[in-house]
Amino acid sequence: MRKRWWSGATAPWASFAVLNRWQSIDWKRCEAEVRKLQVRIVEALKANRVGKVRKLQRILTNSFAAKALAVRRVTSNKGGNTAGVDGETWLTPAERYRAISSLTLRGYKAKPLRRVEIPKSNGKMRPLGIPTIKDRAMQALFLMALEPVAETQADRHSYGFRRNRCCADATDQLYKVLFGKNAAQWVLEGDIKGCFDHISHEWLLQNVITDKKMLRKWLEAGVMIGNVFHDTDEGTPQGGIISPVLANITLDGMDAQLDKYRTRKQDGKTVSRKVNLVRYADDFIITGESREVLEEIKADLIPFLTERGLELSEEKTLITHIDDGFDFLGFNIRKYKGVLLIKPSEKALKKFAKATHEIIYSMRSRKQADVIEKLNRMIAGWVNYYRYVSSKKAFWRLDHTIFLQLRRWAIRRHQDKSLEWVRNKYWHKSGTRQWVYSTVRKNKRGEEYTLSLITLADTPLLRYTKVRADANPFDPQYDEYFAKRRSLHRQTRPLKRSA
């Protein structure tokens, strides 16, 4: 019998356990097959052969390799155990393998989303739509065909929900366009009101290069709030795998919209107006030489967004001088006597301090080791995010805040003991440091080791290397560049969360 790479030893119809079929899938071969088609999609799009792009997308979405990867993606992430309105999940290898063959276009109909609400930082609630596991897998499948298109057509300085890009790239780009003496002095802080909830369905159907029938099914699937069905006439569901890419495609073109404002004529010469765009999802910053030019840009963005069913939030869209500073992605960006500094924002510091307080208070009866492990995971994630900017003073400040919180935790546990006794029990000397919150634990082999709380101020700050603006992870000409970039990141490994 002819051997097939997707089933391990024999063809899919052979009579061995479905369990073994899932476990024997050659995932590297699947990824290589999908990658090959994605590269061809990029090449066809660069040649402006949209018809060929659509043909390649159909080939990809009908391939076994892409379907298998889609099932693996939706079952291996955190939401893999979360069911939609049908209550269905794919938890076992047998269910996952059978799910591969169920990802077909014929007879497919998207089911309504299950609506849940999650709290926002401002106290309001954010609606989140949870598709069924099959709808998530179908979206993941078609996302593999859409993402190469989105990356090829994306704005150069868009950094949200894109491969190999992150918040650090956005802040570094802002530093580049704002730090010089002759840099822009004014910024437009842009925010789009309910971006995901109001995107025009008709605009998406007319402008997104993907299967229109499938896209319409997801957009018009509706939502179940309690036991009541509601139509969805606009917007993309927050919670859908494909939604972030659709939102990015909707906002791409904003950079080109600014081209007419970038220069002006002065004394027969072309002078830069220092107009630059940095966008992360639906939050964006536009720099300019004056308040007036930013007012013009703001007015010009209104029809651009209206066409897409969107509008600026008047409450959050502000024009600010760089000496007054502004917050973006949890950072405060401001010039102090001509020197640009990017630091953790006051709001971010207070939010972190509140979170550590809640953790420590909730663990007031737990062992010291449990408290250390829980805090270390949180601290490591926080310092890894802020270690690329001027964070040293903020780290010292938070170290002191956490010390006060832990001291209160310890005193509350031993109200009949002296302060000296409490200190000797929970804080110990380590090298030249006198106050180290630590304890002794045993590993699985019975060997003792010291478990210590991470000190934020001990974390070395690093210089971040921003991704190239035109780098496309689906374009082979950038393969070597991304390989070198991954190697560079391995040399500066982030702080481990289990430290």
Side-chain angles (χ1 to χ4, degrees):
M1 184 179 290
R2 185 181 178 185
K3 293 184 178 180
R4 305 290 180 123
W5 57 268
W6 60 73
S7 61
T10 57
W13 55 85
S15 57
F16 56 82
V18 177
L19 169 65
N20 293 333
R21 292 184 183 180
W22 174 261
Q23 294 177 337
S24 62
I25 292 175
D26 188 340
W27 295 111
K28 289 186 178 180
R29 182 69 178 274
C30 286
E31 291 166 356
E33 290 288 325
V34 170
R35 165 75 178 178
K36 183 178 178 180
L37 286 167
Q38 289 174 328
V39 167
R40 292 179 64 191
I41 288 172
V42 171
E43 292 172 348
L45 190 61
K46 289 167 69 176
N48 201 26
R49 300 178 62 184
V50 178
K52 186 174 182 181
V53 170
R54 295 185 185 280
K55 181 180 178 181
L56 291 168
Q57 286 180 324
R58 285 194 296 271
I59 294 172
L60 190 152
T61 54
N62 282 290
S63 69
F64 177 90
K67 291 178 181 180
L69 289 171
V71 173
R72 184 179 69 165
R73 174 173 178 174
V74 300
T75 56
S76 60
N77 59 23
K78 292 182 179 179
N81 297 334
T82 305
V85 294
D86 60 355
E88 184 179 353
T89 54
W90 300 333
L91 300 179
T92 67
E95 290 173 335
R96 293 172 183 177
Y97 190 85
R98 293 191 189 98
I100 296 174
S101 60
S102 73
L103 302 184
T104 58
L105 280 66
R106 180 172 296 180
Y108 170 74
K109 183 178 180 181
K111 294 183 179 180
L113 308 173
R114 181 167 67 88
R115 172 65 60 85
V116 297
E117 292 189 337
I118 56 176
K120 296 170 65 174
S121 57
N122 59 7
K124 298 181 180 179
M125 301 300 289
R126 182 192 303 277
L128 186 68
I130 302 176
T132 66
I133 188 74
K134 183 174 181 178
D135 290 339
R136 273 176 271 165
M138 290 295 283
Q139 289 187 23
L141 175 62
F142 278 79
L143 178 59
M144 286 182 238
L146 178 60
E147 206 171 4
V149 176
E151 283 292 333
T152 305
Q153 297 180 331
D155 287 344
R156 287 164 49 84
H157 296 296
S158 163
Y159 298 101
F161 305 122
R162 294 182 61 188
R163 289 198 185 189
N164 303 315
R165 297 184 179 224
C166 63
C167 295
D169 293 297
T171 53
D172 193 71
Q173 176 62 19
L174 281 173
Y175 184 85
K176 291 179 185 299
V177 300
L178 291 171
F179 85 98
K181 289 184 179 179
N182 298 319
Q185 298 296 303
W186 292 89
V187 296
L188 169 65
E189 306 172 57
D191 183 87
I192 298 170
K193 186 185 298 184
C195 180
F196 283 86
D197 298 328
H198 301 296
I199 296 175
S200 168
H201 287 182
E202 289 307 312
W203 191 93
L204 289 173
L205 292 167
Q206 292 172 13
N207 292 276
V208 179
I209 304 176
T210 190
D211 188 299
K212 308 295 185 186
K213 291 182 179 179
M214 292 297 296
L215 181 57
R216 187 181 292 276
K217 287 178 181 179
W218 294 323
L219 295 176
E220 299 177 356
V223 60
M224 295 294 295
I225 303 178
N227 295 321
V228 181
F229 174 82
H230 296 265
D231 289 319
T232 47
D233 300 322
E234 60 181 4
T236 61
Q238 294 192 50
I241 290 175
I242 205 169
S243 294
V245 174
L246 293 177
N248 266 340
I249 292 174
T250 304
L251 296 174
D252 285 332
M254 190 182 293
D255 194 49
Q257 188 77 5
L258 303 181
D259 285 345
K260 57 188 173 185
Y261 296 99
R262 296 190 193 280
T263 59
R264 59 181 170 85
K265 293 291 184 178
Q266 181 177 331
D267 299 329
K269 297 181 180 179
T270 301
V271 180
S272 171
R273 301 178 84 177
K274 303 165 186 175
V275 173
N276 298 280
L277 168 71
V278 178
R279 180 169 66 84
Y280 192 94
D282 58 336
D283 295 322
F284 60 90
I285 299 295
I286 300 175
T287 66
E289 63 176 358
S290 66
R291 173 183 284 274
E292 289 71 28
V293 69
L294 292 179
E295 291 283 5
E296 292 179 40
I297 290 172
K298 179 182 176 182
D300 197 35
L301 285 178
I302 292 174
F304 172 85
L305 294 172
T306 301
E307 181 186 1
R308 292 155 173 77
L310 303 173
E311 63 176 316
L312 289 173
S313 169
E314 290 297 330
E315 177 188 347
K316 299 180 181 179
T317 301
L318 308 170
I319 296 177
T320 311
H321 195 276
I322 190 62
D323 289 345
D324 296 325
F326 62 95
D327 290 349
F328 186 63
L329 303 178
F331 300 90
N332 179 260
I333 303 168
R334 181 181 173 185
K335 273 189 175 179
Y336 298 83
K337 297 181 180 180
V339 178
L340 183 72
L341 289 181
I342 301 179
K343 306 183 293 183
S345 68
E346 278 296 316
K347 186 177 179 180
L349 292 173
K350 291 178 180 178
K351 183 178 178 180
F352 181 79
K354 181 181 178 181
T356 55
H357 167 74
E358 289 174 352
I359 287 175
I360 293 170
Y361 183 77
S362 67
M363 303 185 75
R364 54 191 180 277
S365 61
R366 301 286 294 275
K367 294 180 179 179
Q368 183 185 13
D370 297 334
V371 176
I372 293 174
E373 287 182 341
K374 189 76 176 285
L375 286 176
N376 277 356
R377 286 194 291 270
M378 184 178 179
I379 292 171
W382 205 86
V383 297
N384 285 335
Y385 184 78
Y386 286 102
R387 71 189 307 181
Y388 300 108
V389 298
S390 303
S391 302
K392 216 59 174 177
K393 288 185 178 179
F395 288 171
W396 289 335
R397 176 176 161 184
L398 289 176
D399 277 333
H400 182 64
T401 299
I402 294 172
F403 165 75
L404 295 178
Q405 292 171 347
L406 289 172
R407 187 180 67 174
R408 186 163 56 246
W409 172 89
I411 293 173
R412 184 186 293 117
R413 289 165 66 94
H414 305 284
Q415 298 182 17
D416 58 338
K417 301 292 185 179
S418 67
L419 294 179
E420 186 70 22
W421 185 94
V422 170
R423 173 191 171 176
N424 292 334
K425 178 173 177 61
Y426 294 106
W427 282 270
H428 307 283
K429 183 177 179 180
S430 177
T432 59
R433 194 182 295 277
Q434 298 291 329
W435 290 77
V436 179
Y437 189 73
S438 61
T439 187
V440 176
R441 294 197 73 179
K442 290 186 178 181
N443 58 23
K444 294 180 180 179
R445 296 189 296 272
E447 301 169 341
E448 290 188 347
Y449 69 98
T450 301
L451 179 66
S452 303
L453 185 71
I454 295 174
T455 304
L456 284 83
D458 286 347
T459 305
L461 303 184
L462 301 176
R463 178 65 185 268
Y464 186 80
T465 303
K466 189 183 77 69
V467 68
R468 282 176 54 178
D470 56 352
N472 184 344
F474 299 101
D475 193 333
Q477 67 173 308
Y478 295 106
D479 286 351
E480 184 178 352
Y481 166 76
F482 281 114
K484 290 180 179 178
R485 187 169 172 81
R486 285 191 293 271
S487 177
L488 177 65
H489 283 184
R490 281 195 293 269
Q491 295 171 17
T492 56
R493 292 182 181 274
L495 194 66
K496 291 183 179 179
R497 292 174 180 263
S498 59

